[in-house]
Amino acid sequence: MDSSVDWALWTKAIHVIAIIAWMAGLLYLPRLFVYHAKAAIGSELSETFKIMEYRLLKIIMNPAMIVAWIFGLLLAYKQNQFSDPWLHAKITLVVLLSIFHMVLGKWRKDFFADKNTKSENFYRYINEIPTVLMIGVIILVVVKPF
C-alpha cells in the first residue's frame, strides 16, 4: 500500500472514530438533561448529573468535536474535495451540529448553576436534532447526491 493511501485511510479512521465519540455525546447529553430536569435542585441526584454532564462535555465531546473537524477538513483538503457541492452541504450540517453542541454547553452551565428553565419534554424533543443532522451528513457522504 502506498503511503498516500495509508495516510488517507488513517486520517479517515481517526475522523470516523472522533465522529462516533462526538455523536454519542450529542445524543447522550440531552438524555441526561431529560433526567436532570426531573431531579430536585440540590439533591444528590442533581449533583451527580452535574458531574456526569461536565465530564461528558469536557472530556469526551469537546475533544471529539475538535478532532472530527481537524481530520475532516484535512481529509477534504488532501483529497481536493472543497469544490464538491456535497461537501459544502455536509459542512453546513456539521456547523449546525457544532452550534447544537455549543447550545448544549450553555444548557449544561444552566443546570450547573441550578438555573434550568426547560422541561424534560423539551429535552426529549431536542434530543432528535443531532439524529436528523447525522442522517443528512451520512447521506451526503455516502450517496453524494450532488
Side-chain angles (χ1 to χ4, degrees), residues 2 18 24 26-28 33 51 65 68 71 75 95-96 101 106 115 124 137:
D2 100 29
L26 289 173
L27 295 167
Y28 187 48
F33 291 165
I51 294 167
M65 179 183 70
F71 281 81
L75 197 59
V95 165
L96 292 174
H101 177 117
K106 187 231 179 276
K115 293 183 179 177
R124 284 184 202 281
V137 168

Side-chain angles (χ1 to χ4, degrees), residues 36 41-42 46-47 50 53 105-117:
H36 196 166
I41 291 175
S46 177
E47 297 306 308
K50 289 177 184 181
E53 293 157 0
K106 187 231 179 276
W107 291 336
R108 187 210 57 85
K109 287 179 182 176
D110 290 344
F111 273 113
F112 188 80
D114 294 325
K115 293 183 179 177
N116 173 55
T117 58

Side-chain angles (χ1 to χ4, degrees), residues 24-119:
L26 289 173
L27 295 167
Y28 187 48
L29 189 56
R31 179 57 46 187
L32 287 176
F33 291 165
V34 167
Y35 300 117
H36 196 166
K38 295 191 297 188
I41 291 175
S43 68
E44 184 178 342
L45 183 59
S46 177
E47 297 306 308
T48 299
F49 279 127
K50 289 177 184 181
I51 294 167
M52 292 172 66
E53 293 157 0
Y54 176 84
R55 289 179 179 167
L56 177 61
L57 188 68
K58 298 296 183 179
I59 297 171
I60 297 171
M61 293 173 65
N62 286 350
M65 179 183 70
I66 291 165
V67 170
W69 267 105
I70 290 170
F71 281 81
L73 291 172
L74 191 58
L75 197 59
Y77 173 75
K78 287 292 200 173
Q79 293 182 340
N80 246 354
Q81 294 175 319
F82 280 110
S83 61
D84 297 349
W86 69 266
L87 183 64
H88 292 225
K90 175 196 173 187
I91 290 172
T92 299
L93 294 181
V94 176
V95 165
L96 292 174
L97 281 169
S98 300
I99 292 168
F100 183 75
H101 177 117
M102 290 180 241
V103 171
L104 290 177
K106 187 231 179 276
W107 291 336
R108 187 210 57 85
K109 287 179 182 176
D110 290 344
F111 273 113
F112 188 80
D114 294 325
K115 293 183 179 177
N116 173 55
T117 58
K118 294 163 181 50
S119 71

